[in-house]
Amino acid sequence: RKYGDRAQSSSCSMAAYHIHREACALCHGSSFCRISWQLDRIVRCATVFEHSNLSYDVFCGQILPAYDNFEKNSERIGMSIHGSLRSIFRICGRACYKMLPLEWFLRLKFRVLMGRSLNLDNPSTFSEKIYCLKVLNGELRAPLIQRCYDKVNVRDYVVEKLGQKRGEAILNELYGVYDRPEDIDFNQLPNAFALKVTQSSGFNVLCLDKNRLDKSEVVQKLKDWQRISNMMGDFSEEGYIYDGHARICCERYLRQEDGSVPPDIRIYCFHGVPRLFVCDFGTTNDDGSHGTHIVRNVYDESWNLLEVDLGRPHDPSVVMEKPDNLDELIFVARKLSEDFPFVRVDLYNLNESIIFGELTWIPMGGNCIISPLSFDREMGSWLDIPNWHDPIETKRQVQEPTR
């Protein structure tokens, strides 16, 4: 209420009001009061900073202890409110993004999530360079990335890069595109299908049997997701990937002959060169949401398993044989990645037939802890980016390495 009374005076106060409203909604018992107090401290630090001349170090000295205490207190309550706490932290992050200079926001976020300082002046690790790309991509490639992020618009790009015959062959079957969830005619759809918000990550509904589907619940869920996607352009350092006109698309539900989900092969490409093949196991739940117990194995160009963790733990006991069509996977990834300094090309291998998934420029939002650190540095050596502080004209003139 304290911040809400002056919510109209500044964007900072409005963000603070939303944070406090979410905290109060949770604060039904004594165990939540301490979390609410810690959130209030974070909000007060950020609000004061809006009109202050605090240095970055002094600001971090005030906000980071509050963040750490919040994290410790929330762990004591248990996993039953995990989703609610994550929602509050997302709101906190969006508030900081709106209030802080972009460079300070990135430094703060990297420090909190990665546990070390971000070197923007001379980045050497992949983790640092991918944070730089959050901004550089927006400065240099926003229209192309916005086009390719949309799950419908990217289909034309795939055909352009691979040719009509080859491109259409790897595109999943599209049943329909809808401006509004209410426009979906479920009677016209097959028994199994996948509904997706065209500009989103993880906003999917997988249906195995539409006769058992609660259609009104699905429509409401898609409406909420579509609204969130259309708002994200103002609340994220990667807001340039959204155009504010997210739609709903319906595609064929992918499954193999035995009914299982086909392998999802994520290919890390640097300046048009595929270098790593990342295979996630358990990424998608039956309802289409992101999985929570995911194993990630990383292979090199010769399909040798690497003893590294790329944001998620690896498990040598989970074996994925070298695909017989590996050369074709490499060709597709090379063609689709050649316009970007870095992109992850996601492909499905369905009964040895390649199906295009999506393109991802900042995997896991850049918050991917790579272990060991030496491999983070090795990955960084594969990626060349313009200097952070150069004028935009100079950045555009930087020549990418010869492919």
Side-chain angles (χ1 to χ4, degrees):
R1 287 194 298 269
K2 176 174 60 176
Y3 294 111
D5 289 340
R6 58 187 182 90
Q8 302 301 323
S9 63
S10 70
S11 61
C12 171
S13 300
M14 178 63 79
Y17 165 72
H18 284 301
I19 294 173
H20 217 262
R21 184 183 65 179
E22 294 289 340
C24 292
L26 287 176
C27 197
H28 297 304
S30 59
S31 59
F32 290 97
C33 293
R34 191 172 300 169
I35 288 181
S36 180
W37 181 86
Q38 295 294 348
L39 277 171
D40 182 73
R41 183 180 172 191
I42 292 174
V43 170
R44 283 188 285 110
C45 287
T47 306
V48 169
F49 177 77
E50 184 184 23
H51 300 294
S52 73
N53 293 317
L54 290 177
S55 69
Y56 169 75
D57 291 336
V58 172
F59 179 66
C60 285
Q62 294 192 35
I63 198 170
L64 288 179
Y67 179 96
D68 292 338
N69 289 333
F70 173 85
E71 212 172 35
K72 293 175 183 177
N73 290 326
S74 65
E75 287 175 357
R76 295 193 184 105
I77 296 176
M79 295 299 293
S80 61
I81 61 167
H82 181 68
S84 298
L85 296 177
R86 289 185 63 186
S87 297
I88 292 178
F89 262 113
R90 279 196 294 269
I91 297 173
C92 288
R94 292 166 190 169
C96 288
Y97 170 73
K98 298 291 286 187
M99 292 182 292
L100 299 178
L102 181 57
E103 181 174 336
W104 286 29
F105 170 75
L106 292 177
R107 291 182 185 275
L108 174 64
K109 186 174 182 179
F110 191 88
R111 172 79 175 275
V112 169
L113 297 177
M114 307 298 285
R116 61 181 190 270
S117 299
L118 172 62
N119 185 350
L120 289 175
D121 299 317
N122 187 28
S124 60
T125 65
F126 177 75
S127 299
E128 292 173 332
K129 291 185 177 182
I130 205 71
Y131 256 67
C132 294
L133 277 183
K134 288 186 179 188
V135 177
L136 295 174
N137 278 342
E139 293 179 341
L140 304 176
R141 301 172 184 84
L144 178 59
I145 290 179
Q146 190 177 90
R147 175 193 180 193
C148 294
Y149 183 66
D150 189 284
K151 292 175 171 56
V152 173
N153 296 339
V154 71
R155 296 169 69 91
D156 291 336
Y157 179 79
V158 172
V159 172
E160 287 178 13
K161 300 302 294 184
L162 296 176
Q164 184 170 1
K165 182 177 180 180
R166 204 166 199 166
E168 291 180 350
I170 72 167
L171 292 175
N172 192 15
E173 186 176 356
L174 185 65
Y175 296 139
V177 181
Y178 315 94
D179 291 328
R180 306 181 309 154
E182 298 93 328
D183 297 336
I184 301 172
D185 186 352
F186 289 94
N187 294 325
Q188 299 297 320
L189 298 179
N191 193 49
F193 53 83
L195 288 167
K196 304 177 181 180
V197 179
T198 58
Q199 298 174 26
S200 70
S201 176
F203 287 175
N204 309 321
V205 175
L206 301 183
C207 175
L208 290 172
D209 183 359
K210 72 176 182 180
N211 295 319
R212 302 176 60 184
L213 187 68
D214 187 334
K215 299 176 180 60
S216 60
E217 179 182 347
V218 168
V219 168
Q220 184 58 51
K221 182 182 294 187
L222 291 172
K223 286 175 63 177
D224 293 340
W225 287 345
Q226 186 181 35
R227 177 179 55 82
I228 292 172
S229 295
N230 287 334
M231 293 171 52
M232 283 303 297
D234 295 327
F235 291 96
S236 169
E237 64 274 27
E238 296 178 70
Y240 51 85
I241 66 178
Y242 303 91
D243 66 9
H245 300 286
R247 296 167 291 172
I248 311 299
C249 67
C250 185
E251 298 179 341
R252 174 178 55 136
Y253 180 84
L254 296 179
R255 51 184 168 180
Q256 302 191 99
E257 295 177 353
D258 60 1
S260 62
V261 177
D264 182 7
I265 302 177
R266 306 179 177 193
I267 307 175
Y268 280 51
C269 301
F270 298 77
H271 302 287
V273 179
R275 288 187 175 270
L276 296 176
F277 297 84
V278 179
C279 301
D280 285 358
F281 304 90
T283 56
T284 306
N285 296 322
D286 292 339
D287 61 359
S289 60
H290 279 303
T292 55
H293 302 287
I294 302 173
V295 170
R296 171 169 292 174
N297 286 348
V298 183
Y299 301 86
D300 63 13
E301 304 97 313
S302 302
W303 208 260
N304 298 310
L305 179 63
L306 303 179
E307 295 294 321
V308 300
D309 289 339
L310 204 63
R312 295 186 173 114
H314 74 285
D315 185 353
S317 66
V318 180
V319 178
M320 182 174 180
E321 299 295 335
K322 178 180 177 179
D324 293 334
N325 58 348
L326 181 60
D327 290 341
E328 181 68 12
L329 289 167
I330 292 174
F331 174 83
V332 170
R334 188 184 298 274
K335 294 295 291 183
L336 296 181
S337 65
E338 60 186 10
D339 291 332
F340 309 99
F342 170 79
V343 67
R344 192 189 76 195
V345 180
D346 294 0
L347 303 173
Y348 291 97
N349 214 8
L350 179 63
N351 302 321
E352 299 302 325
S353 295
I354 299 173
I355 301 295
F356 173 76
E358 63 183 7
L359 300 178
T360 302
W361 296 268
I362 312 293
M364 298 180 71
N367 308 313
C368 176
I369 298 178
I370 302 173
S371 178
L373 184 59
S374 58
F375 190 69
D376 197 359
R377 295 194 183 97
E378 182 179 353
M379 291 179 64
S381 68
W382 301 336
L383 178 58
D384 293 327
I385 59 175
N387 188 285
W388 171 272
H389 297 289
D390 281 346
I392 185 64
E393 295 79 10
T394 304
K395 293 174 182 176
R396 289 198 177 102
Q397 294 172 0
V398 173
Q399 298 295 312
E400 296 180 356
T402 303
R403 299 187 182 98

